[in-house]
């Protein structure tokens, strides 16, 4: 199952990089909860709208994973660089997965790079 979580996490990164909102949201459970520095968004539809807003407001988006770690069959961690237009962020996503391979929660920690 650890391998499955790694594959799912890599596929999520690819979908996010493609700014493919439908593919991204296919990874979320119905009750998915996203927490990031801007706050907490609850529910697949609300998170869809939140992320679509990010995608629609940027011309350039590059989500580069530096490391993807799988803690067990229910957790993955992505250490990443995120470029949104002229801003670069460094961060970590901590993802909880359910038994069906859907994300239950994501805690996103990021800060803007000074470079």
């Amino acid at each position: 199952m650890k391998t499955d979580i790694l594959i799912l996490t890599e596929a999520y990164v690819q979908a996010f990089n493609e700014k493919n909102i439908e593919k991204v949201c296919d990874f979320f459970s119905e009750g998915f909860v996203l927490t990031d520095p801007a706050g907490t968004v609850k529910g697949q539809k609300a998170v869809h709208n939140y992320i679509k807003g990010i995608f629609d407001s940027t011309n350039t988006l590059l989500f580069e994973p530096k490391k993807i770690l799988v803690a067990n069959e229910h957790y993955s961690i992505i250490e990443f660089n995120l470029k949104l237009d002229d801003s670069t962020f460094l961060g970590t996503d901590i993802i909880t997965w359910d038994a069906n391979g859907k994300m239950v929660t994501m805690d996103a920690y990021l800060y803007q790079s000074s470079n």
Side-chain angles (χ1 to χ4, degrees):
M1 186 67 169
K2 284 176 112 173
T3 302
D4 294 340
I5 296 300
L6 177 60
I7 291 167
L8 287 168
T9 305
E10 290 172 337
Y12 166 76
V13 168
Q14 180 177 347
F16 199 94
N17 255 329
E18 293 170 355
K19 292 173 69 172
N20 186 325
I21 191 64
E22 300 310 321
K23 278 188 186 178
V24 167
C25 288
D26 283 346
F27 291 99
F28 304 155
S29 65
E30 194 65 34
F32 179 70
V33 178
L34 171 66
T35 303
D36 72 8
T40 299
V41 183
K42 297 179 181 180
Q44 187 184 50
K45 189 169 194 100
V47 176
H48 172 280
N49 294 337
Y50 178 74
I51 293 175
K52 187 173 185 325
I54 294 169
F55 288 173
D56 290 348
S57 68
T58 59
N59 293 315
T60 303
L61 182 147
L62 181 59
F63 185 55
E64 289 185 300
K66 293 169 64 178
K67 291 181 194 167
I68 297 176
L69 305 171
V70 176
N72 60 36
E73 63 273 4
H74 295 290
Y75 298 96
S76 62
I77 301 165
I78 308 169
E79 180 185 356
F80 62 87
N81 291 330
L82 175 63
K83 182 170 177 57
L84 300 173
D85 293 330
D86 294 328
S87 299
T88 301
F89 300 87
L90 308 175
T92 303
D93 287 341
I94 301 173
I95 304 166
T96 305
W97 298 85
D98 67 17
N100 298 314
K102 297 290 186 180
M103 293 181 188
V104 178
T105 64
M106 178 186 292
D107 295 324
Y109 303 92
L110 62 155
Y111 64 94
Q112 192 162 359
S113 173
S114 57
N115 293 339

